[in-house]
Structure formats: structure tokens, C-alpha cells
Amino acid sequence: MTAASGKRLGRVLVQAGVITPEQLDAALAESGDHTLTSVLVTQGIADESRIAQAVAESLGLAFVDLQAIDIDPTAATMLSIDLARRHSCLPIKVQDDELIVAMSDPANIFAIDDLRIVTGFEIRVVVASESDLLQAIDRLAAMQQNVDQMVGDIEDLSSAMSGRDEDLAADEEAPVAKIMNHVVTEAIRQGAGDIYIEPQEHDLRVRYRIDGVCQEILRSPKKIHRQLISRLKIQCGMDIAEKRIPQDGRFGVVLDGKSVDFRVAVLPTVQGEMSVMRLLRKDAIMMSLEDLGFLEQPMERVMEAIMKPYGALLVTGPTGSGKSTTLYAAINKTTNPRVNLITVEDPVEYRLEGLSQVQVHEKAGLTFASALRSILRQDPDVVMIGEIRDKETATIAIEAALTGHLVLSTLHTNDAPSALTRLTEMGVEPFLSASAINCVLAQRLARRLCTACREQYTPEEEALTRIGFPFEPGHPPMLFRAVGCSKCNNIGYKGRMGIHEVMTMSEEIERACVEHASGDEIGRIAVEQGMRTLKDDGFEKVRSGLTSIEEIMRVVV
């Protein structure tokens, strides 16, 4: 930091009341080759974090605690370590076509110009303390050195191992094992739902899906791809020599005392084999229905359906909408030593104590329908079917619900009323569906607003009217929107919750179903009888400050 920048910083701190003019003069006189910040901290005059916050406030910028956020490795590696140290800055995230850069001296316009030229991005500056920046840069340098060393080791070993990928990938001390362990452990700690290992034309890309949104976390030379996939196949018990057809497998790890299963799918592509790993956390299936974000009325309707000794509860929604988690939460409500509960799934995602789980194996002839027929001969009280896919499975499930069994299953429809018409399209007689189904639950997953940085605002009435948000004219409600801070990694959202639509069967809905009414007509009747639609449920959670209008419109409309 130059003498001029030291004086500039000093004026800011005096104006903010962090130090007095006398303390500034004394610190500048003693600074010499040291920065003003280091002198003030050494003398115990000011805390380094408070100095950075004062600078941020004076310039109208955000302050970030680098120790409390996850720095995007892709962004961080856009700048060389030498340049980062020279300007005491570090890119932490790419957002809205801007590179967010943490700096200790945000008034250094020459540094900002350098960053813009080197990265090709427009720069958005946030402020961080100098020591936090230096520590983060040191950690990044060490990580890059380790990855470079691992890649170099793989390159050196590849020629010697020709044809012996299996031996290299199986070695727990091999560099490829260290890279895989790093990818897996970071995914668990960051709360990822999926890991994507994707070969590109010239390199290898690794992405995490966090709260339903993909984020790139690593790019590496393509030379490590073959060993990485081989390592994964060995962990999952796949055929390491087979590269022409898709393969599935699973493995488990324990990290920080928590058990996590990984469901793995390997798919051949034109660039090589790509892999998707789905993280299945054991603690996620212990969630209760109360933890899933239900409002009071939908919760009462679902509980009423689960407590009945027979009938069907169907959970609908697109892939990734949390249907399996909801089914397991319902199972937790029904499981006790006096109940015989059997599941048939494809695949068995979570392996639970206290119930019998059947894995579908279509090549061997064990389909949903054949497994379900055998399960009903085991005299179950509760049957959970992973998914109703065809007429045969649907017919057996509906008949089971009519003959004294509680049936829990999923169906792919966009809303609750459409489940009845979908079953009719599959070939199930409408009078059977109408009699068997207790309740249909449609759901989506929406991101929760970060409570540390959400911002309250008054929306425009025209915008609310356009999307159908209910409000009293002339009195628009105070809502919240995403901002972004260090606790949510500048995204504005942290965690997810369910958006629900619960339709319970009534005589009117049964009659409409038997008369082959459309899904829209059945939905109209359900709304008249008190059903809260997905959009209504989402808007209520917006009104409560749990999420934003933009998020509800993204996942529901």
C-alpha cells in the first residue's frame, strides 16, 4: 500500500470514527514500509475487520468475511497468484456476467483496470480484511500446487501404467484417489445434491448441484479423466473395462460422523464417459413432514390421508422435486413394530432399518408389477411403490389400496388434479381410482431466502397484479428479496423448502373423475373445496418472508 493510499484510508477511518486524527498522524509516522492497517492493528488502535467494514461503508460496497464463505474455485483461478498478491485481491464468484473480487483497497483503480483486462469480466468489488485475503490467497496457492502435483504424478505414471488403469485407480495413495476424495468431501461439506464429472473437448469439468442450481467447481486437464472414471467404477463395483454402455452403482462414505451414500451413473458420450453422483444423506430421510415446509392446512390434509388404514397417497411432481424425501417422511410417520411395511423401488436410494425394501431388476424379470404382486402375498399393512410407470403397476397399486392396504407412491404430473386423469390415460378405470385414492400431493422445491441478508421492499402493484399475487389495492404488502452476503456465498438463498398442493378426494371430485372430467375441471372443484394451489402456497411463503416472488415464479410457473 502506497503512502497516498495510506492517507486516503486514514481519512476514511477518521470520518467513520474508527480512529482519531492524532492516532492517524502517529500511525502514518511509524508506518515506514508497513501498511497503515498493520500499524493500527499492531498498536491495538483498531480491529482489522472493523477497518475493512469502515472502508466498505464509506464507498457503499459490501463487506465479506472470507473465512465464512465458500470461494468459487473457478473464479479464484482466473487470476494468477502473483497478481492476486500484488494487488491484495481475490476473485470469489462470477455472478450476472460480473466477476466479484474481494479487495482490501477497493479505491485502487489501477488494480481494478488490471483485473478487467486480465479476466475479460466487468469487476464488482467487495471489501475484505487484508489478513483474510492473504490467508485465502495462500490456501488457493497451496491447493493449486497440490492439484498440479497430483496431475503431474498421474501424467508421469500413465506411461508406466499403460493398460493397468485398474491398479492405478485402486491405489488409495494414488493422486487420482486424492482428487476423487477432495471432490467428494467438498460436495458433502457444501451441501451438494449431485456431482457431475464431465469430459469436454480439451479438459475435464466438475460441477456440483447446490440447492437445485449447478455450479462449476473445478476444471482439470483431460488427461486425468480416464483414471478418475476408473477409480469411480472400482468404488462402485462396475466393470472397469466396459466403456460402451451405461453402468450404475453405489458406494458410501462417512464424513464428520455423518453417513452419506452415493448413487452413481456412468454414461458414454462423444467426449468420453461422464458420471453423475447423487448424494443420499442418511439424515435427510429422518426428516419429518413438519420439516418439509408444509403450511398448516396442507399438513392436516396429508396427515389425515396417512392415518387411514387403507387407500392411496400419491406424490406428484417433476424429477428433483423431493418426492422421495416426502415419501420417506410419510413412512417415518407410519413405521412401528406393529406395522408390516414393504417398499419396491428403482433404485433403493435409502436403506433403512425396520422395513423390507425390494430393488427392481427388470433384466431378471423383477419389475414393479411382479414385485408388487409378490409383496401383496406377504400381507403388508403399508406398501411404498417408488413410481407408478405403467398400466399393470397402476392397476395393482389401486387394487391394493382398495383391499385394505395403505399405498404410498409417486407419479409424474405437473399438479395434483392431473394425477387422476393420468391414471385414466394409463388404463385404470376411473371409478377404481376415485374410490382408492385418499389424497394427491403435488410439490416443488424452492430456495429459501438467506435470513442474514434478505432485503425488505414494497413491490409495484402492477407487477403483483400481473402475476396474480393477492393484495388489497392501494396497500401492497412488504415482501423480501434476495441480496447476497458472505453467509450465502453472495447468492441470496440458503437451503430449500417444499411448495405444496394437496387435493383430498370428495364425492364431487370422485363423481367428476368417473365422468372423465378434465384435470382443469377437477382442479376447479378442488379449489372451491379449499385446495391451495402450488402458486397460492408459494405466494403465502413469499408473504411470510421465506422466499421471493422470483423464486416462486421460477419453480411453479
Side-chain angles (χ1 to χ4, degrees), residues 368-369 372 385 387-398:
F368 273 112
L372 194 49
I385 306 166
E387 182 183 347
I388 293 177
R389 297 177 178 173
D390 51 48
K391 176 184 177 181
E392 191 175 10
T393 305
T395 301
I396 299 171
I398 293 300

Side-chain angles (χ1 to χ4, degrees), residues 19 23 54 71 79 131 170 186 190 205 232 242 251 265 281 368 371 374 382 407 434 444 448 515 541:
I19 61 175
Q23 289 173 325
I71 297 171
L79 208 61
S131 63
E186 282 302 305
Q190 292 187 34
R205 178 175 70 175
L232 189 58
E242 181 57 74
F251 67 95
R281 294 171 175 79
F368 273 112
S374 298
V382 182
V407 177
R444 302 288 190 276
R448 291 179 181 269
E515 294 173 354
K541 286 163 183 172

Side-chain angles (χ1 to χ4, degrees), residues 8-21:
R8 185 172 62 242
L9 173 61
R11 287 195 298 271
V12 168
L13 298 180
V14 170
Q15 290 173 359
V18 177
I19 61 175
T20 66

Side-chain angles (χ1 to χ4, degrees), residues 197-200 204-205 222 225-226 228-230 232-233 238-247 265-276:
I197 299 177
E198 303 162 302
Q200 308 295 300
L204 176 69
R205 178 175 70 175
K222 195 171 182 178
H225 168 252
R226 189 176 62 190
L228 206 60
I229 294 297
S230 295
L232 189 58
K233 286 182 176 180
M238 299 180 190
D239 183 355
I240 193 173
E242 181 57 74
K243 298 178 174 63
R244 299 165 299 173
I245 61 174
Q247 296 188 67
V266 175
L267 177 69
T269 72
V270 292
Q271 302 293 352
E273 291 178 290
M274 72 167 287
S275 173
V276 180

